[in-house]
Amino acid sequence: MKKELIIIVISILILTIVASFIGIGIRKEKQKREMASLTEEQRKEKDEENTIINKIKDMNEVDRIQVYFGEFLKFIEQQKYEKAYNCLNENFKNNYFNNLEKFIEYVKNKYPQTNIAVTYNEANRRGDIFILKVKISQVLNTEFESFEQRIVIRENGANDYKISFQVEEDAEGEGIEVDTPTSLE
Amino acid sequence: MNFKTKMTLAIRDFIKDYGKPTLIVLAVWFIIFTLNQYLITKPKEIKLLKHDLNSPIMDDTKKVSVSNQRKIQAIVKEYFEYCNSKQYEKAYNLITEDCKHYVYLNDIENFKKYIDSIYNNNKVYYLQNYSNVDDTYVYILGIMDDIESTGTTGGYKVYEERIALIKNNDTFEIACDNYIKNERIGIEKEDAFLKVNVASKELSYTREEYNLTITNLTDNDIIIANFDTNKEVELNLGNQLRSAMNIANSTFRVKPHETKTMSFIFRKYFDDENTPTQLRLNAVRIISNYDNSIMRNYSFNIDL
């Protein structure tokens, strides 16, 4: 009985090791096939996504939010308008840019087409949402009229975010009103 | 015997002798293999450094339990939705009786005015645990414009208040507008001139209001406070004394043999861990009926 038990245990151990190697082999084969089925551009995008995820995984929240906005501006600069458009919050899209053409027209008029520079002036958290106050300018071009803009970003996961932004400057009387009474009147 | 027959016999003998253990080994191997596959192919969750809205800002060691978190989130969501859709009565029914009494004077019209002053557009909210003291959980409730939909175009408003979620058996009730709760005290002290009953106190996030019933046992007027100095009424917190905030424009005077209720308000944060030890009436003045002079001036201290 004891001899049988030992044989069973050793057999299980050997087969477990064999199963692990088979599992690893299957996974590698699966990854190879997945990569082979992607186009060059898709492979590049996947690599970029992995790069961003590796970049942000040890960052604090504010830094991550700034990276996301940086990525959004990069899409605009690279004229990957559809990618930038897909970063937008759905309700925000419906309110201001219900089709891609409207969005393209807006960003072409608003942002520099190349060498976008962004300065982060403020970052405030409201629950799960961040509100950034940024200044957009163009590197080495003082003729470009820089402007301030508020950006709203919600992070849903690693490199998974939705953006809204202040579409036009505040009119007179408009702005931010924060009321935080701490005692009864 | 040919090879095929020998093989058949050998296999049959093997199964006869080792069939059961072989089946066990194969079954265990199959389970391990399947588990292995599942674990290997499961997408790796990336743990990001993230602020936890359920972790109290004041002391992150006193977290709300997961089951209480769920209940609190649910009731606040319900309260918010009623307020946002102006279902005043349903929202009013979720708040504590103490809050209805002290903050809204048991009048739902006052509550409606408060709701209308905050919820004037379609709003969204966020909830941040602030501090937890026994069965009272203080949160910051932020009510703001739907800035994700607007991108803050045209500006935006944020209103933040402290709310308290108070456990009542297995459910929670809400105390809003920075109010926490009423605490019964019921301590009485008497001397030859005064009888003072400290009935209760109203706790708000930044202050405590003590409700006193004072009986003048003399034939003369007694002045408790009239702001001759700002230390006439003090709350002893052990390591410091706090002066009453509400005596500046009032005279607290009791006529002969009169019983009167009075309240004294002190600045004190609900979660500051200071325990009041004494209420001090430092300048109790018995007034002459003839010339209004002070016949006697003494301290009357009530241990809490």
Side-chain angles (χ1 to χ4, degrees):
Chain A
M1 184 63 192
K2 197 175 172 185
K3 196 179 166 190
E4 264 186 15
L5 211 56
I6 292 169
I7 292 171
I8 289 172
V9 167
I10 292 171
S11 311
I12 289 172
L13 279 170
I14 292 169
L15 289 171
T16 307
I17 294 166
V18 168
S20 301
F21 278 115
I22 295 173
I24 291 166
I26 292 174
R27 184 168 63 110
K28 280 195 172 158
E29 192 55 41
K30 199 176 166 190
Q31 277 176 350
K32 247 191 214 168
R33 282 204 199 131
E34 268 176 19
M35 290 302 278
S37 69
L38 297 174
T39 61
E40 183 64 39
E41 197 173 325
Q42 285 170 328
R43 224 172 287 152
K44 210 176 161 192
E45 275 177 17
K46 207 167 170 70
D47 284 339
E48 275 173 12
E49 170 136 6
N50 288 337
T51 307
I52 294 169
I53 289 176
N54 283 329
K55 184 178 170 186
I56 62 168
K57 68 179 185 206
D58 293 323
M59 281 184 174
N60 65 42
E61 274 184 303
V62 174
D63 289 345
R64 289 202 305 271
I65 295 298
Q66 291 178 0
V67 166
Y68 297 150
F69 184 60
E71 286 301 303
F72 175 73
L73 289 180
K74 208 161 118 184
F75 293 147
I76 291 172
E77 208 174 43
Q78 292 170 349
Q79 296 180 22
K80 292 180 179 173
Y81 297 116
E82 199 171 338
K83 283 198 101 170
Y85 188 65
N86 290 338
C87 292
L88 300 182
N89 171 277
E90 281 309 308
N91 288 339
F92 177 71
K93 265 193 227 175
N94 293 336
N95 286 338
Y96 297 100
F97 308 108
N98 57 9
N99 59 54
L100 179 60
E101 286 66 42
K102 275 190 182 159
F103 176 70
I104 295 172
E105 189 189 341
Y106 175 86
V107 297
K108 277 184 171 172
N109 284 328
K110 188 82 175 172
Y111 295 101
Q113 296 308 294
T114 55
N115 300 324
I116 303 176
V118 57
T119 312
Y120 296 93
N121 292 332
E122 261 178 54
N124 288 310
R125 163 202 283 289
R126 298 284 174 200
D128 283 333
I129 300 169
F130 275 89
I131 305 158
L132 303 177
K133 198 168 174 186
V134 304
K135 187 172 168 184
I136 306 286
S137 55
Q138 189 172 28
V139 177
L140 299 175
N141 180 7
T142 49
E143 280 179 22
F144 178 83
E145 206 177 314
S146 61
F147 62 94
E148 283 195 327
Q149 193 176 39
R150 290 187 292 264
I151 313 294
V152 179
I153 304 185
R154 177 189 286 273
E155 181 187 45
N156 296 316
N159 201 31
D160 178 8
Y161 56 91
K162 287 294 173 193
I163 290 182
S164 322
F165 53 80
Q166 179 189 3
V167 171
E168 56 202 24
E169 271 179 42
D170 292 334
E172 204 170 309
E174 289 178 348
I176 306 166
E177 207 178 299
V178 178
D179 190 3
T180 57
T182 51
S183 63
L184 296 169
E185 293 301 315
Chain B
M1 224 188 289
N2 66 20
F3 177 73
K4 194 178 168 188
T5 313
K6 276 186 190 169
M7 275 306 294
T8 311
L9 279 172
I11 291 168
R12 196 185 64 181
D13 288 342
F14 179 83
I15 291 170
K16 198 172 159 189
D17 296 337
Y18 298 106
K20 208 170 164 187
T22 308
L23 272 173
I24 294 169
V25 169
L26 284 174
V28 170
W29 178 85
F30 181 74
I31 291 167
I32 291 171
F33 180 74
T34 314
L35 192 62
N36 201 22
Q37 280 299 101
Y38 168 71
L39 290 172
I40 284 170
T41 55
K42 191 179 165 196
K44 285 183 180 55
E45 203 190 301
I46 299 163
K47 277 229 171 258
L48 298 172
L49 291 163
K50 209 167 168 65
H51 174 73
D52 183 2
L53 293 171
N54 289 307
S55 186
I57 288 176
M58 294 303 282
D59 181 355
D60 63 5
T61 62
K62 291 183 183 174
K63 268 190 160 181
V64 184
S65 70
V66 173
S67 65
N68 280 339
Q69 276 177 32
R70 267 190 236 117
K71 287 177 190 165
I72 287 169
Q73 304 279 0
I75 195 170
V76 172
K77 184 172 183 234
E78 193 182 351
Y79 171 75
F80 171 80
E81 282 170 359
Y82 289 148
C83 291
N84 212 21
S85 58
K86 304 294 175 95
Q87 295 184 69
Y88 303 104
E89 220 170 289
K90 286 184 175 174
Y92 192 65
N93 289 340
L94 294 178
I95 64 177
T96 63
E97 292 304 315
D98 287 346
C99 185
K100 284 177 195 169
H101 173 72
Y102 183 74
V103 183
Y104 305 112
L105 307 176
N106 286 325
D107 186 345
I108 194 173
E109 295 306 315
N110 293 330
F111 179 69
K112 283 183 187 175
K113 281 184 198 151
Y114 155 75
I115 296 299
D116 286 343
S117 70
I118 302 165
Y119 298 82
N120 48 19
N121 276 319
N122 207 16
K123 299 285 189 182
V124 296
Y125 78 99
Y126 54 89
L127 195 62
Q128 164 71 59
N129 188 212
Y130 194 77
S131 60
N132 304 313
V133 178
D134 299 327
D135 274 344
T136 303
Y137 304 90
V138 179
Y139 280 77
I140 294 174
L141 175 65
I143 298 147
M144 63 182 180
D145 296 329
D146 186 0
I147 55 173
E148 286 183 278
S149 297
T150 65
T152 76
T153 307
Y156 66 97
K157 278 186 189 171
V158 178
Y159 176 86
E160 276 189 353
E161 66 177 60
R162 299 279 190 300
I163 62 170
L165 278 299
I166 296 166
K167 202 161 185 190
N168 187 1
N169 297 319
D170 209 32
T171 59
F172 282 93
E173 290 178 305
I174 298 173
C176 55
D177 205 0
N178 299 300
Y179 178 77
I180 309 281
K181 59 184 171 183
N182 175 286
E183 218 169 77
R184 313 280 184 261
I185 299 176
I187 290 174
E188 197 168 273
K189 186 177 172 178
E190 187 176 333
D191 65 12
F193 313 102
L194 269 185
K195 184 163 90 175
V196 177
N197 181 298
V198 184
S200 63
K201 61 181 178 180
E202 306 287 354
L203 302 172
S204 303
Y205 182 69
T206 57
R207 65 188 213 186
E208 291 191 357
E209 181 172 335
Y210 286 78
N211 299 314
L212 276 57
T213 305
I214 298 184
T215 303
N216 181 350
L217 301 173
T218 72
D219 296 328
N220 299 81
D221 278 15
I222 293 182
I223 293 175
I224 305 294
N226 64 353
F227 207 54
D228 268 1
T229 78
N230 67 349
K231 292 184 189 301
E232 288 169 346
V233 181
E234 287 181 322
L235 186 66
N236 189 347
L237 296 176
N239 53 3
Q240 55 183 288
L241 295 169
R242 297 265 169 93
S243 299
M245 288 166 27
N246 61 324
I247 64 171
N249 297 316
S250 308
T251 298
F252 293 80
R253 189 177 187 123
V254 194
K255 290 193 167 64
H257 302 286
E258 186 187 21
T259 296
K260 207 167 176 179
T261 54
M262 288 179 190
S263 294
F264 295 107
I265 300 173
F266 304 92
R267 183 156 303 287
K268 186 190 172 302
Y269 287 94
F270 174 70
D271 49 22
D272 68 8
E273 295 184 353
N274 287 318
T275 305
T277 57
Q278 203 180 50
L279 188 63
R280 294 155 72 105
L281 307 179
N282 290 327
V284 176
R285 286 149 283 175
I286 301 170
I287 307 298
S288 162
N289 291 330
Y290 302 106
D291 59 4
N292 263 340
S293 62
I294 297 171
M295 289 165 47
R296 189 186 196 96
N297 185 342
Y298 75 107
S299 291
F300 185 101
N301 298 335
I302 307 142
D303 290 334
L304 298 171

